């Protein structure tokens, strides 16, 4: 039976450490770390995500402001709001909730967030820093996956890791992080041949696809660590991952459930990134930030 990695409790512990760091920041700088979230339109899922991010910030003793813009906002108005946030000293982190309505240029918008405040880690400068092994802000979901692997004591050095999915927000940064830890990484995608056999060769398997229960028992090597990033809703309205959990839990070495695995880590890592960004912007000594 696999070690079921409890993302909820790992995230709760991380949030406590972030709160302690945020309190330390506030005491030294005279204001709390601040996150500004920009939400365009009224997509119900985005509304929920943004509300949860705001609430989590406040619980960690951080300031959070949500900027709600109408669905037909112009590109100029959105960029002008972002430009104002970039020069506002109290703003440490800025994120634009995606996806944006079709008439907006997503790339131009995310590029407008300066790397120092880019708590999503999407700016080309942060992406470059990640691949170059330099300091920068790392995308929250894959960073959370790394924390879960470490928490479960999974050995990464020399391990064969397969990441399914090559998106800029999950698959690619996940591969970079695993490589940084000396895993041997293969990135699979929709054109990959013999995917089940490839996956069954992995010591560490990360699924970030978006297809309910795609990975069955024969996709998983006995004893492998399985990180399930997928969030899918079944016809019955149930949340499930990309992994057929019931089929795999019996012989994986470690596995994250859905819900309660990777999901809670994403927000906790967003808070962590915001405190890291604040710390760096304030010029506080790096060694004194322990999260
Ligand atoms: P995405 O941009 O749609 O990327 C999906 C990736 O899966 C693509 O690279 C695609 O390949 C690949 N793929 C699709 N069908 C495949 C197949 N049959 N076999 C192999 N690969 C296949 O999605 P994403 O944004 O990375 O998100 C992935 C999943 O993670 C979604 O369920 C999303 O909801 C979830 N997610 C969860 C969190 C969290 O906090 N837990 C955060 C972000 C995302 P191609 O590149 O060839 O098209």
């Amino acid at each position: 039976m696999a070690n079921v990695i409890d993302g909820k409790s790992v995230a709760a512990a991380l949030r406590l450490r972030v709160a302690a760091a945020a309190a330390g920041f506030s005491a030294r700088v005279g204001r709390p770390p601040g996150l500004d979230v920009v939400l365009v339109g009224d997509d119900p899922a985005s509304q929920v995500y943004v509300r949860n991010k705001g609430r989590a910030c406040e619980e960690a003793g951080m300031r959070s402001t949500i900027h709600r813009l109408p669905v037909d906002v112009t590109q100029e108005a959105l960029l002008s709001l972002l430009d104002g946030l970039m020069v506002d000293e109290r703003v440490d982190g800025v994120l634009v909730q995606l996806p944006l309505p079709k008439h907006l240029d997503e790339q131009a918008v995310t590029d407008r967030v300066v790397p120092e405040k880019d708590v999503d880690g999407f700016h080309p400068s942060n992406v470059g820093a990640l691949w170059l092994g330099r300091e920068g802000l790392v995308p929250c979901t894959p960073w959370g996956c790394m924390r879960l692997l470490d928490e479960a004591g999974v050995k990464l050095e020399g391990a064969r890791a397969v990441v399914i999915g090559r998106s800029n927000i999950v698959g690619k940064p996940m591969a970079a992080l695993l490589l940084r830890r000396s895993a041997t990484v293969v990135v699979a995608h929709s054109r990959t041949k013999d995917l089940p056999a490839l996956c069954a060769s992995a010591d560490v398997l990360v699924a970030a696809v978006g297809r309910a229960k795609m990975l069955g028992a024969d996709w998983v090597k006995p004893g492998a660590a399985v990180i399930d990033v997928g969030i899918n809703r079944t016809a019955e309205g149930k949340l499930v991952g990309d992994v057929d959990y019931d089929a795999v839990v019996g012989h994986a070495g470690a596995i994250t459930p859905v819900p309660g695995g990777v999901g809670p880590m994403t927000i906790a890592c967003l808070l962590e990134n915001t405190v890291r960004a604040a710390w760096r912007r304030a010029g506080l000594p790096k060694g004194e930030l322990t999260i």
Side-chain angles (χ1 to χ4, degrees):
M1 191 75 176
N3 162 21
V4 178
I5 306 172
D6 182 354
K8 260 189 172 166
S9 73
V10 179
L14 175 57
R15 282 163 68 156
L16 284 179
R17 296 199 300 279
V18 169
F25 177 92
S26 303
R28 292 164 81 154
V29 179
R31 65 165 182 85
L35 173 69
D36 284 54
V37 179
V38 179
L39 174 63
V40 180
D42 45 19
D43 174 65
S46 294
Q47 300 262 13
V48 173
Y49 291 141
V50 163
R51 204 178 317 126
N52 289 345
K53 286 170 187 174
R55 200 176 297 150
C57 272
E58 277 148 30
E59 281 170 18
M62 295 156 66
R63 179 193 61 77
S64 144
T65 306
I66 300 172
H67 304 266
R68 294 173 196 278
L69 300 177
V71 69
D72 59 353
V73 67
T74 63
Q75 174 96 356
E76 292 68 32
L78 174 53
L79 293 181
S80 156
L81 168 69
L82 289 174
D83 289 344
L85 296 176
M86 294 312 122
V87 295
D88 187 334
E89 266 313 301
R90 297 159 306 166
V91 175
D92 297 299
V94 174
L95 77 80
V96 181
Q97 184 67 41
L98 301 178
L100 290 172
K102 291 271 177 294
H103 70 282
L104 297 169
D105 178 350
E106 204 161 279
Q107 189 173 310
V109 170
T110 50
D111 282 2
R112 201 72 158 222
V113 178
V114 294
E116 303 76 48
K117 298 191 179 189
D118 169 37
V119 284
D120 261 339
F122 293 165
H123 191 281
S125 173
N126 280 320
V127 176
L130 174 59
W131 284 98
L132 292 168
R134 296 189 193 171
E135 200 178 331
L137 291 163
V138 175
C140 304
T141 300
W143 183 238
C145 294
M146 294 302 286
R147 282 198 174 279
L148 291 178
L149 285 165
D150 283 339
E151 198 66 35
V154 176
K155 188 172 177 284
L156 297 176
E157 189 179 327
R160 184 180 173 94
V162 172
V163 178
I164 323 174
R166 55 174 162 178
S167 71
N168 292 329
I169 63 167
V170 190
K172 285 182 199 162
M174 188 73 221
L177 287 166
L178 288 164
L179 185 61
R180 197 157 91 173
R181 294 284 297 278
S182 299
T184 302
V185 185
V186 177
V187 182
H189 45 78
S190 66
R191 319 286 162 79
T192 299
K193 294 199 176 105
D194 303 327
L195 187 58
L198 175 69
C199 293
S201 73
D203 305 308
V204 177
L205 183 57
V206 181
V209 181
R211 289 174 72 114
K213 299 187 181 185
M214 183 173 96
L215 284 73
D218 51 338
W219 293 54
V220 177
K221 179 171 160 178
V226 181
I227 302 289
D228 191 354
V229 184
I231 302 177
N232 313 286
R233 205 169 276 282
T234 63
E236 300 78 44
K238 201 175 158 221
L239 275 190
V240 297
D242 293 342
V243 177
D244 185 345
Y245 180 88
D246 294 334
V248 168
V249 70
H251 73 281
I255 188 167
T256 58
V258 177
V262 175
M265 291 302 288
T266 298
I267 288 191
C269 291
L270 172 67
L271 302 182
E272 175 185 348
N273 270 356
T274 304
V275 172
R276 285 192 188 284
W279 204 268
R280 208 170 297 151
R281 291 185 62 253
L284 298 178
K286 199 174 129 189
E288 290 174 26
L289 176 62
T290 48
I291 299 183

